[in-house]
Amino acid sequence: MLIILPTATTLLDSSTLQVLGGIAGALLGALAGAFGTYVIGEKARKKQKDDDEIKEQRLKIRANERALKNAEAEIEAHLVLILKNIEHYNDIKKGIVDLSGKFRTTLSMPQPYFHQVGIGVDLMNVSFATKWQSYESEVVLQNSNLNEFNEYYVALRSSAHESLLHGQQLNSQVLAMDDLVIKDGAGQCIIAAESFKERCFTLVAEIALGAQHWESIDFTKVTLEEVKIYINKIHSYEPTQEQLTSYIDEELRPIYTPEKAFKSASQKMSK
């Protein structure tokens, strides 16, 4: 029988292979461990990044909610003031000449509309933000017309009062012309106030319908993707004209009458 004994070279090659194999195994193990650590680290970093983004979006959502509450409070206050101002205009519309041809006047004048600047910055819904910008312009226009009318009326009242105090007679022709101007001006202001009231109705209705549309969200459990979907809905939501009209006719018009609105306002102030 022929027996071939391993040579030194063969033994050396075998030892080398074992060493190399051990080194390769160690390297592969180290690489696998490093890769695993990297994957875990990346997952942790991504989760932290998502958590930070969720917190940031949560702050925006909360700011949007506060802005809507502030907007609603302002508009509701304006609705009450609009009704009161219309009553003033209706009184002024009677003119400055009574049935006997004598000068008449009133001390109660329409009041300007307060506006809180900066609410629109935090509004997220595109439809409402657009309407809010238009509303802000309307407030400026209403106050401009109101102040101009008040200045004219007060100046006329003061002038006539001064003349009467000194025993002077008012010029009947001038008085008649001013009477027509006052009546026409008050009528135009009533139309403008009614238009402003309708704009306010639309905004209050859109806020209320939006509030019904959204569900509360648990930010401790929600994913970033779910938050993005939720925010996209906030951005794009817009009630139909039918929904707005229905809400206005059923929920707002019955409440915002002079008697009910003033009573409601006084109750809120007493709380």
Side-chain angles (χ1 to χ4, degrees):
M1 177 183 293
L2 178 62
I3 298 177
I4 301 176
L5 297 174
T7 64
T9 302
T10 304
L11 291 173
L12 181 61
D13 291 343
S14 176
S15 299
T16 301
L17 289 174
Q18 289 177 1
V19 172
L20 291 175
I23 294 173
L27 288 173
L28 288 174
L31 287 173
F35 180 74
T37 302
Y38 171 79
V39 170
I40 294 173
E42 281 299 302
K43 286 183 178 180
R45 279 190 289 272
K46 184 180 184 304
K47 186 179 185 306
Q48 185 60 52
K49 184 178 179 181
D50 288 355
D51 289 343
D52 291 342
E53 180 67 17
I54 289 173
K55 289 179 182 178
E56 183 178 343
Q57 297 304 323
R58 179 184 184 181
L59 292 176
K60 291 181 180 180
I61 293 172
R62 291 289 181 261
N64 174 68
E65 291 174 350
R66 286 194 300 271
L68 287 174
K69 288 180 180 178
N70 290 334
E72 184 178 28
E74 178 177 311
I75 298 166
E76 288 178 344
H78 282 178
L79 280 168
V80 176
L81 184 55
I82 288 169
L83 293 173
K84 190 64 178 176
N85 282 347
I86 288 175
E87 286 195 345
H88 289 315
Y89 286 130
N90 277 321
D91 182 40
I92 294 172
K93 193 180 177 183
K94 295 175 183 177
I96 57 175
V97 181
D98 63 16
L99 295 177
S100 62
K102 296 181 179 179
F103 180 76
R104 70 174 294 275
T105 186
T106 179
L107 293 177
S108 300
M109 299 298 295
Q111 298 299 309
Y113 304 98
F114 167 80
H115 174 58
Q116 181 179 344
V117 179
I119 291 177
V121 174
D122 294 319
L123 295 173
M124 297 177 68
N125 180 264
V126 176
S127 171
F128 187 83
T130 301
K131 290 183 176 70
W132 182 256
Q133 289 180 341
S134 180
Y135 163 84
E136 290 184 311
S137 299
E138 180 80 6
V139 172
V140 174
L141 180 61
Q142 288 287 335
N143 283 338
S144 176
N145 292 337
L146 184 150
N147 290 330
E148 184 177 342
F149 181 82
N150 283 2
E151 288 173 4
Y152 179 85
Y153 186 89
V154 171
L156 176 62
R157 182 179 64 190
S158 299
S159 176
H161 184 65
E162 183 71 17
S163 297
L164 292 173
L165 281 178
H166 289 83
Q168 300 174 358
Q169 292 292 325
L170 300 179
N171 187 302
S172 59
Q173 290 183 339
V174 174
L175 193 61
M177 291 176 57
D178 286 334
D179 186 58
L180 290 176
V181 171
I182 290 296
K183 288 179 178 178
D184 182 65
Q188 293 299 319
C189 287
I190 290 173
I191 294 173
E194 290 287 357
S195 175
F196 187 33
K197 182 178 69 174
E198 293 302 314
R199 187 186 296 277
C200 290
F201 276 160
T202 299
L203 288 171
V204 172
E206 188 151 339
I207 292 174
L209 291 170
Q212 294 174 5
H213 187 77
W214 308 121
E215 298 178 357
S216 59
I217 181 170
D218 186 352
F219 287 95
T220 62
K221 298 179 181 179
V222 72
T223 66
L224 179 58
E225 187 62 29
E226 290 171 333
V227 171
K228 289 181 178 179
I229 293 173
Y230 186 78
I231 288 177
N232 183 60
K233 289 180 179 179
I234 293 178
H235 281 303
S236 60
Y237 172 73
E238 182 176 4
T240 64
Q241 186 58 51
E242 289 76 15
Q243 289 174 318
L244 290 171
T245 300
S246 176
Y247 189 90
I248 291 171
D249 291 342
E250 295 176 11
E251 302 294 336
L252 299 180
R253 293 196 194 283
I255 295 176
Y256 285 99
T257 62
E259 300 78 14
K260 293 182 179 180
F262 300 153
K263 181 179 180 181
S264 175
S266 63
Q267 288 175 344
K268 289 182 179 179
M269 290 179 65
S270 64
K271 291 182 178 180

